[in-house]
């Protein structure tokens, strides 16, 4: 069984692309990349935030340092399936992620997720953040992911489609439903490296006019939620 990685540090760049751009780019990618160990995944996230959405509001101001707290599953979990509590920080373009794995049944009926954190090396950093913000479940975001890894270079590229969110029913076992975030022909591409991007990939992005985007799934869902709330209040 492949070991679970709980500490990540890497450069991540996001791109909002069309299906046509994806089709042309993939012709180049398949010459240098292969399917990842987990090629197709169904990702489910519950984002934690303060009652007034302090974390995502700060993140949308594009500071040098920002952080997010989320619970993630790579399927609709049964009670004994593994889920991950993640702390994701970004400083000066570098992403640092810490996470703890545990069974879903450990947190099903907990109002305070801090109670389920085991004594581990990562615990102190994660618990300090939870104690400081006292976050609660605020947003559910799900999507489908296709992942590639470099054959020779240490690089990973993911493509996320069918993004949706919901503000209520913040539970994995509720399944796949919510308000769609992207247009039908759009994908989110993320390029994840330990440093610089390979030259062949730089040329491919330039060739197909693919430019970096500051797109945030949680940020986009939050803005859409605010727009819907204003409509109902009008």
């Amino acid at each position: 069984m492949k070991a679970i990685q709980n500490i990540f540090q890497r450069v991540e760049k996001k791109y909002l692309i069309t299906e046509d751009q994806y089709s042309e780019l993939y012709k180049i990618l398949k010459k240098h990349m292969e399917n990842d160990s987990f090629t197709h995944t169904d990702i489910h996230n519950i984002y934690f935030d303060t009652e007034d959405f302090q974390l995502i509001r700060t993140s949308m101001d594009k500071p040098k340092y920002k952080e997010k707290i989320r619970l993630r599953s790579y399927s609709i979990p049964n009670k004994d399936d593994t889920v991950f509590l993640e702390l994701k920080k970004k400083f000066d373009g570098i992403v640092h992620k810490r996470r703890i794995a545990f069974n879903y049944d450990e947190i099903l009926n907990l109002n305070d997720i801090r109670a389920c954190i085991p004594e581990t090396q990562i615990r102190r950093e994660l618990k300090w953040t939870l104690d400081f913000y006292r976050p609660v479940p605020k947003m559910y975001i799900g999507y489908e992911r296709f992942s590639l890894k470099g054959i020779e270079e240490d690089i990973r590229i993911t493509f996320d489609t069918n993004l949706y969110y919901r503000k209520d029913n913040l539970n994995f076992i509720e399944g796949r439903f919510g308000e769609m975030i992207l247009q039908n022909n759009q994908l989110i591409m993320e390029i994840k490296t330990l440093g610089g991007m390979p030259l062949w990939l730089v040329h491919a992005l330039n060739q197909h006019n693919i430019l970096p985007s500051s797109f945030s799934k949680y940020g986009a869902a939050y803005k859409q939620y605010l727009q819907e709330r204003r409509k109902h209040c009008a």
Side-chain angles (χ1 to χ4, degrees):
M1 181 181 293
K2 185 176 180 180
I4 295 176
Q5 185 176 358
N6 291 322
I7 299 176
F8 303 81
Q9 179 175 318
R10 60 201 180 195
V11 177
E12 295 183 359
K13 290 188 178 297
K14 291 182 181 179
Y15 303 79
L16 183 60
I17 65 174
T18 65
E19 291 181 348
D20 288 341
Q21 286 176 312
Y22 166 76
S23 297
E24 292 302 315
L25 182 61
Y26 184 72
K27 296 174 184 178
I28 301 173
L29 295 181
K30 66 183 182 181
K31 299 177 184 177
H32 303 271
M33 308 189 74
E34 60 187 4
N35 288 352
D36 196 5
S37 302
F38 302 97
T39 307
H40 296 280
T41 47
D42 185 19
I43 297 180
H44 304 260
N45 301 288
I46 297 174
Y47 281 84
F48 286 71
D49 211 325
T50 63
E51 289 291 355
D52 63 350
F53 290 97
Q54 178 184 346
L55 289 171
I56 189 56
R57 288 189 293 104
T58 299
S59 177
M60 290 167 63
D61 288 336
K62 303 188 187 332
K64 273 198 169 185
Y65 173 82
K66 55 187 177 181
E67 53 193 346
K68 294 176 183 175
I69 304 165
R70 67 190 177 203
L71 191 65
R72 169 168 287 190
S73 177
Y74 293 92
S75 65
I76 298 176
N78 296 314
K79 291 184 178 181
D80 58 350
D81 286 341
T82 299
V83 296
F84 299 91
L85 178 62
E86 299 183 342
L87 172 62
K88 188 173 182 180
K89 301 182 177 183
K90 188 172 184 179
F91 177 71
D92 213 12
I94 306 297
V95 172
H96 305 265
K97 188 165 75 173
R98 305 286 186 268
R99 72 181 187 182
I100 295 177
F102 47 88
N103 290 343
Y104 189 42
D105 63 354
E106 295 180 69
I107 60 161
L108 276 177
N109 298 309
L110 286 176
N111 292 323
D112 190 342
I113 201 166
R114 292 173 300 162
C116 71
I117 300 177
E119 293 289 343
T120 66
Q121 186 175 359
I122 303 172
R123 178 182 183 275
R124 181 175 299 176
E125 182 179 357
L126 187 53
K127 188 174 184 300
W128 186 93
T129 304
L130 293 173
D131 285 340
F132 182 80
Y133 290 108
R134 300 287 175 136
V136 294
K138 297 297 286 185
M139 190 81 73
Y140 178 102
I141 298 177
Y143 45 91
E144 298 170 21
R145 170 166 287 180
F146 172 57
S147 304
L148 299 170
K149 64 179 180 180
I151 297 174
E152 297 183 356
E153 296 99 348
D154 193 349
I155 183 173
R156 186 167 179 257
I157 300 181
T158 61
F159 299 92
D160 297 336
T161 57
N162 298 322
L163 276 73
Y164 58 92
Y165 84 95
R166 59 179 184 259
K167 181 66 177 64
D168 302 308
N169 299 302
L170 303 181
N171 193 310
F172 290 141
I173 59 177
E174 293 289 336
R176 307 173 184 86
F177 73 92
E179 300 294 326
M180 301 305 294
I181 300 174
L182 297 179
Q183 298 179 20
N184 289 334
N185 68 332
Q186 291 181 316
L187 304 84
I188 298 297
M189 179 175 72
E190 290 189 46
I191 300 176
K192 307 175 184 186
T193 66
L194 296 179
M197 204 180 294
L199 194 57
W200 63 264
L201 182 55
V202 174
H203 290 327
L205 296 177
N206 289 336
Q207 178 182 349
H208 296 291
N209 195 32
I210 298 175
L211 303 175
S213 169
S214 59
F215 185 91
S216 161
K217 300 181 185 74
Y218 184 24
Y222 176 64
K223 285 191 284 188
Q224 191 165 322
Y225 159 71
L226 289 180
Q227 291 171 357
E228 291 298 321
R229 193 173 67 171
R230 292 189 189 104
K231 288 180 183 177
H232 286 88
C233 294

